[in-house]
């Protein structure tokens, strides 16, 4: 089964609220809050002909901060017997996977005909519900497409092979104090915190880095040798950060020029998770679904295997 892959971030609203009776801000408990909401079951509302329609959620399962369920659409179908037509209601479904592990925060939506292959519409339904629930905590959710870092690199490399050079690179990054849910390795997050020191000091929501080159001395952009560039590209792929490469002789390229991230997950992998069937491939017992989700993150960000395993402290 194919899935569209999204990342999500939890943002603090205009005023900070405290979690329950503690002095801890709700943004610091965002991971726990999302987990509680998913555990309780999301009352997801769809739309049909401008009318709100409660959507069914079936086969809900959770473990190790992974949540799976089938979200059902409501469709009208006709049953025929000879020339006699009987209108019936049908409820086809798509699997939804919430990977709510700390500093992962990704959503996968099965690509099938249940919602007419309109995965972004499913995301809008999820966002609407979560925003309403999170507003009680002074929080909101941002859900964004993930992109394939490898595709982006191929486009850039093709330009350079054709004797064009990078004129400038513009990268926008968030203030990590203002959001939760940045999908990155531990080392990359540390680097982002260092880069964000000014945005944190000024309490800005985001910052920008612009790197300039010249025709006489072209920019050196070999991300295999410049680790900071590799991390910048990986962060942008995983979290949909704005990253633009400008060229001297051809149009600018940004991540919206490359393909959305799509992955495949075997139905047996989900079934084993639902049945709490663990596997062991030499790294200890875990779910095959968790291993597959980590492989997907590695593929999207174009990480080496060694770099993906340290996604948390």
């Amino acid at each position: 089964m194919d899935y569209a892959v999204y990342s999500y971030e939890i943002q603090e609203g205009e005023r900070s609220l405290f979690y329950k009776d503690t002095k801890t801000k709700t943004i610091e408990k965002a991971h726990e809050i999302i987990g509680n909401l998913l555990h309780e079951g999301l009352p997801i509302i769809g739309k049909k002909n401008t009318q709100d329609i409660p959507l069914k959620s079936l086969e809900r399962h959770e473990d190790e901060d992974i949540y799976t369920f089938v979200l059902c659409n409501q469709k009208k179908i006709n049953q025929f017997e000879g020339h006699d037509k009987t209108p019936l209601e049908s409820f086809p479904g798509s699997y939804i996977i919430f990977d709510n592990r700390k500093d992962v925060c990704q959503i996968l939506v099965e690509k099938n005909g249940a919602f007419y292959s309109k995965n972004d519409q499913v995301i809008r339904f999820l966002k609407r519900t979560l925003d309403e629930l999170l507003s009680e905590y002074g929080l909101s959710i941002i859900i964004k497409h993930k992109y394939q870092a490898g595709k982006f690199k191929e486009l850039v490399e093709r330009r350079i092979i054709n004797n064009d050079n990078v004129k400038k690179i513009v990268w926008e990054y968030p203030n990590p104090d203002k959001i939760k849910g940045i999908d990155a390795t531990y080392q990359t997050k540390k680097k982002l915190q260092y880069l964000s020191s000014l945005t944190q000091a000024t309490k800005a929501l985001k910052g920008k880095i612009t790197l300039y080159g010249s025709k006489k001395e072209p920019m050196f952009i070999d991300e295999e040798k410049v680790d900071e560039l590799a991390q910048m590209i990986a962060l942008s792929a995983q979290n949909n950060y704005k990253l633009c490469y400008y060229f001297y002789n051809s149009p600018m390229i940004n991540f919206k020029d490359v393909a959305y991230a799509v992955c495949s997950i075997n139905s047996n992998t989900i079934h084993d998770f639902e049945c709490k069937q663990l596997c062991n491939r030499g790294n200890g017992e875990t779910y095959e679904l968790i291993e597959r989700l980590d492989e997907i993150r590695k593929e999207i960000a174009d990480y080496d295997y060694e770099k993906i395993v340290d996604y948390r402290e």
Side-chain angles (χ1 to χ4, degrees), residues 173 176 191-203:
Y173 56 89
K191 188 68 66 68
L192 179 62
Q193 288 173 340
Y194 173 76
L195 290 172
S196 303
S197 57
L198 183 58
T199 61
Q200 290 169 310
T202 58
K203 296 185 178 180

Side-chain angles (χ1 to χ4, degrees), residues 169 171 187-188 190-192 194-195 209 211 220-236 243 245 303 307:
I169 297 172
W171 184 50
Q187 292 173 337
T188 304
K190 286 293 185 184
K191 188 68 66 68
L192 179 62
Y194 173 76
L195 290 172
I209 290 176
L211 307 173
F220 184 67
I221 61 163
D222 186 346
E223 50 89 20
E224 290 186 6
K225 296 179 180 178
V226 184
D227 190 50
E228 286 77 5
L229 274 178
Q231 294 176 8
M232 186 170 70
I233 292 171
L235 274 166
S236 300
L243 175 62
Y245 277 44
Y303 283 129
K307 292 181 180 179

Side-chain angles (χ1 to χ4, degrees), residues 30 73 133 145 151 173 215 234 248-249 255 263 278 291:
N73 198 2
L133 296 171
H145 279 284
K151 297 281 187 182
Y173 56 89
K215 283 190 175 181
Y248 285 100
N249 304 319
F255 260 106
C263 68
L278 300 172
E291 290 190 344

Side-chain angles (χ1 to χ4, degrees), residues 83-238:
H83 290 284
D84 296 331
K85 180 174 67 175
T86 305
L88 300 173
E89 284 192 338
S90 178
F91 299 93
S94 292
Y95 265 111
I96 311 294
I97 302 172
F98 266 85
D99 188 344
N100 191 48
R101 289 175 293 167
K102 186 178 180 182
D103 297 328
V104 175
C105 299
Q106 62 182 356
I107 302 172
L108 290 82
V109 180
E110 183 186 358
K111 294 171 67 68
N112 63 13
F115 290 88
Y116 307 101
S117 298
K118 296 179 180 178
N119 300 99
D120 286 357
Q121 184 181 66
V122 175
I123 289 298
R124 284 192 289 273
F125 296 158
L126 293 171
K127 175 176 166 53
R128 178 185 177 188
T129 295
L130 285 165
D131 268 338
E132 289 179 1
L133 296 171
L134 288 170
S135 64
E136 299 179 17
Y137 301 93
L139 304 173
S140 63
I141 188 168
I142 306 296
I143 305 177
K144 301 173 289 187
H145 279 284
K146 287 194 175 191
Y147 292 94
Q148 296 283 5
K151 297 281 187 182
F152 178 80
K153 294 175 187 177
E154 286 174 14
L155 288 173
V156 173
E157 288 169 2
R158 199 178 306 150
R159 297 281 181 88
I160 294 170
I161 289 171
N162 290 327
N163 298 317
D164 202 354
N165 287 311
V166 177
K167 183 178 182 180
K168 69 176 179 179
I169 297 172
V170 179
W171 184 50
E172 290 187 4
Y173 56 89
N175 177 348
D177 281 351
K178 290 286 186 180
I179 62 174
K180 293 296 176 183
I182 298 173
D183 190 347
T185 65
Y186 175 66
Q187 292 173 337
T188 304
K189 281 200 70 179
K190 286 293 185 184
K191 188 68 66 68
L192 179 62
Q193 288 173 340
Y194 173 76
L195 290 172
S196 303
S197 57
L198 183 58
T199 61
Q200 290 169 310
T202 58
K203 296 185 178 180
L205 187 61
K206 61 184 177 181
K208 180 190 289 186
I209 290 176
T210 303
L211 307 173
Y212 292 93
S214 73
K215 283 190 175 181
K216 291 182 179 180
E217 292 190 32
M219 291 180 67
F220 184 67
I221 61 163
D222 186 346
E223 50 89 20
E224 290 186 6
K225 296 179 180 178
V226 184
D227 190 50
E228 286 77 5
L229 274 178
Q231 294 176 8
M232 186 170 70
I233 292 171
L235 274 166
S236 300
Q238 291 280 45

Side-chain angles (χ1 to χ4, degrees), residues 17-55:
L17 299 180
F18 293 102
Y19 186 63
K20 296 182 178 179
D21 296 326
T22 69
K23 293 184 178 180
T24 303
K25 290 184 178 180
T26 53
I27 188 65
E28 299 299 326
K29 292 288 188 179
H31 169 75
E32 182 179 329
I33 291 169
I34 288 291
N36 290 338
L37 294 176
L38 291 169
H39 173 74
E40 292 168 3
L42 300 176
I44 302 168
I45 305 297
K47 261 197 185 310
K48 198 171 188 70
N49 300 325
T50 72
Q51 298 294 315
D52 287 347
I53 299 176
L55 300 179

